[in-house]
Amino acid sequence: MTSETAAELDLYQEVVMDHKRAPRHFGALAAPTHQARGHNPQCGDDLEVDLVVGDGRVSDIRFHGQGCAICIASASMMTDAVLGQEVAWAQALQARFRAVLTGQMPAEEAHLGKLVSLAGVRHYPGRIKCALLGWHALMHALAAEVKSDSSALEVTP
């Protein structure tokens, strides 16, 4: 086994555990312009993503809920990656991240930043939905503004 393969197979790398222990941008936004909830009934992961989008950029983002280490770490890294970025950039990053996790793109070609630490998830098909749950919620939130009854759009991966 090569060291690269060993690193890929280690789902709980230090960066992943750091984001699980101290998730960035955790909590709810008081006045989101966009929000969606992601729920995986197979494992119980349940996250809500709140956004403030203005002038085509994600000017604020938070997530809250519960999930496994992979789910929380991925959502935390997602918020770090997309905060301040253009919506189109966030959508493109999600597409590249998803392509890596589903084996459609090599991780070294995807330019994922810290998210590359989750590339090993592709070796564990049951965990791919955990890593993508926050991203699914993000994409659905970007596709729809906050409902007038202030309930978040619910999605499943």
Side-chain angles (χ1 to χ4, degrees), residues 88-112:
W89 188 91
Q91 292 167 327
L93 180 62
Q94 185 271 348
R96 293 193 315 270
F97 184 60
R98 180 181 179 82
V100 168
L101 294 188
T102 57
Q104 298 171 350
M105 177 183 278
E108 54 277 358
E109 294 178 13
H111 308 288
L112 296 174

Side-chain angles (χ1 to χ4, degrees), residues 44-89:
D45 291 345
D46 190 358
L47 297 179
E48 183 171 311
V49 175
D50 297 344
L51 303 162
V52 174
V53 177
D55 296 326
R57 287 189 179 273
V58 177
S59 61
D60 205 354
I61 185 169
R62 298 281 186 273
F63 79 98
H64 56 98
Q66 60 186 11
C68 66
I70 297 299
C71 177
I72 298 297
S74 180
S76 176
M77 286 188 246
M78 173 190 76
T79 60
D80 266 354
V82 304
L83 181 62
Q85 299 293 334
E86 292 181 358
V87 168
W89 188 91

Side-chain angles (χ1 to χ4, degrees), residues 15-35:
V15 67
V16 172
M17 293 312 297
D18 180 50
H19 278 268
K20 166 57 179 160
R21 285 189 293 264
R24 280 55 158 191
H25 313 288
F26 190 82
L29 288 176
T33 59
H34 298 68
Q35 64 184 165

Side-chain angles (χ1 to χ4, degrees), residues 1-17:
M1 176 180 301
T2 67
S3 62
E4 180 178 297
T5 302
E8 283 188 7
L9 293 175
D10 182 6
L11 288 180
Y12 301 101
Q13 296 177 33
E14 184 56 34
V15 67
V16 172
M17 293 312 297

Side-chain angles (χ1 to χ4, degrees), residues 38 54 65 68 114 120-121 132 146 150 152:
C68 66
K114 284 184 182 178
V121 170
L132 290 175
V146 173
S150 52

